[in-house]
């Protein structure tokens, strides 16, 4: 089976990267993880990647004079690894336009809310404050606007009356770990495609493929 070569970009814990790595251990999963790249040294996710036997690379943002120079080095590392698609998984840095343009249509992210609600940070606290009854997570293509690229798949999580930020975050994270490998598989199998006009086209993807109800 021809596998899609994927790099995962992290900045911390790396639990979503771990869920992709576990999925990729299945010989029938259509993805090979060719690199785990972090913009920060010594983060937990790098150890986890090594435990999975994955190649790691740190491109430390503090050693570059500008964001553009840092991201050029990131692109170079991703290209050297032969990445055909890049998954951001807790990569906590807003990307410059040049990087996004370079990888457009080949760059996806997981975000802990049902987009387009609650872009940005502290999504669980804001969801609770706003009193939403259903929360969740989204996998989307990355474009030049923060958390606004075309949506690939979403998982919905019911907000319980006694939820606090950490209980809700934990259930959403569990949903993320199920959703991200599924969404990535849809792309690898070309069931979902990014189209040049910044939207997605479902190509044999079913409602069950793209919408997960927890
Ligand atoms: C996840 O909630 C992800 O949705 C967000 O950052 C968090 C990263 O967690 N973008 P982890 O590093 O994957 O454990």
């Amino acid at each position: 089976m021809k596998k899609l070569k994927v790099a995962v970009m992290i900045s911390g814990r790396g639990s979503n990267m771990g869920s992709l790595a576990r999925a990729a251990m299945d010989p029938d999963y259509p993805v090979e993880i060719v690199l785990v790249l972090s913009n920060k040294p010594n983060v937990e996710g790098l150890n986890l990647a090594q435990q999975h036997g994955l190649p790691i690379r740190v491109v430390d943002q503090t050693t570059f004079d500008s964001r553009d120079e840092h991201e050029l080095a990131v692109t170079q590392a991703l290209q050297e690894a032969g990445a055909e698609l890049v998954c951001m998984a807790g990569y906590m840095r807003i990307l410059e336009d040049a990087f996004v343009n370079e990888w457009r249509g080949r760059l996806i992210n997981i975000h802990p809310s049902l987009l387009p609600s609650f872009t940005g940070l502290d999504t669980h606290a804001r969801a609770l404050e706003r009193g939403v009854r259903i929360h969740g997570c989204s996998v989307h293509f990355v474009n030049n606007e923060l958390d606004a690229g075309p949506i690939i798949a979403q998982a919905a999580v019911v907000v319980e009356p006694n939820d606090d930020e950490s209980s809700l975050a934990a259930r959403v994270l569990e949903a993320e770990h199920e959703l991200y490998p599924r969404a990535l598989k849809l792309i690898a199998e070309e069931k979902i495609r990014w189209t040049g006009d910044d939207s997605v086209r479902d190509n044999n993807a079913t409602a069950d493929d793209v919408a997960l109800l927890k």
Side-chain angles (χ1 to χ4, degrees):
M1 180 207 296
K2 190 183 174 304
K3 297 200 177 209
L4 184 69
K5 292 185 191 320
V6 167
V8 187
M9 286 171 62
I10 63 167
S11 298
R13 181 177 55 182
S15 71
N16 277 291
M17 177 277 301
S19 81
L20 296 176
R22 280 194 301 280
M25 284 166 66
D26 179 345
D28 292 331
Y29 190 73
V31 162
E32 178 193 355
I33 298 179
V34 293
L35 183 66
V36 174
L37 183 147
S38 173
N39 58 329
K40 292 185 179 159
N42 307 318
V43 295
E44 210 182 316
L46 290 168
N47 293 332
L48 184 61
Q50 280 181 314
Q51 284 164 25
H52 281 284
L54 297 174
I56 60 168
R57 188 117 173 225
V58 176
V59 184
D60 185 347
Q61 64 192 49
T62 63
T63 63
F64 293 84
D65 290 334
S66 71
R67 280 173 175 267
D68 276 326
E69 279 172 63
H70 174 246
E71 287 171 15
L72 267 180
V74 171
T75 284
Q76 205 177 344
L78 297 171
Q79 284 169 345
E80 276 167 22
E84 297 168 306
L85 184 97
V86 178
C87 293
M88 290 171 53
Y91 187 79
M92 301 302 284
R93 204 172 200 220
I94 293 172
L95 297 162
E96 294 292 307
D97 283 348
F99 184 87
V100 173
N101 293 341
E102 172 74 37
W103 292 96
R104 187 181 292 275
R106 300 178 295 144
L107 180 62
I108 67 175
N109 181 43
I110 187 155
H111 180 76
S113 78
L114 287 176
L115 292 171
S117 293
F118 308 116
T119 59
L121 297 174
D122 300 323
T123 55
H124 308 306
R126 286 190 288 135
L128 286 171
E129 203 177 286
R130 191 64 185 78
V132 298
R133 305 302 197 184
I134 299 178
H135 185 42
C137 51
S138 309
V139 176
H140 63 96
F141 282 103
V142 175
N143 68 7
N144 302 85
E145 216 181 309
L146 182 67
D147 301 325
I151 293 167
I152 298 162
Q154 294 184 305
V157 171
V158 172
V159 179
E160 304 288 350
N162 55 356
D163 262 328
D164 59 19
E165 192 181 340
S166 77
S167 64
L168 184 57
R171 288 208 311 290
V172 173
L173 190 64
E174 220 175 278
E176 290 183 42
H177 294 164
E178 200 174 327
L179 186 70
Y180 213 172
R182 286 168 66 132
L184 178 57
K185 186 166 184 255
L186 292 175
I187 296 174
E189 290 175 340
E190 298 187 344
K191 285 188 172 178
I192 292 252
R193 282 175 198 216
W194 177 84
T195 61
D197 57 0
D198 215 11
S199 62
V200 296
R201 189 171 58 228
D202 291 358
N203 204 15
N204 296 323
T206 67
D208 284 343
D209 286 331
V210 295
L212 182 63
L213 306 176
K214 298 296 290 176

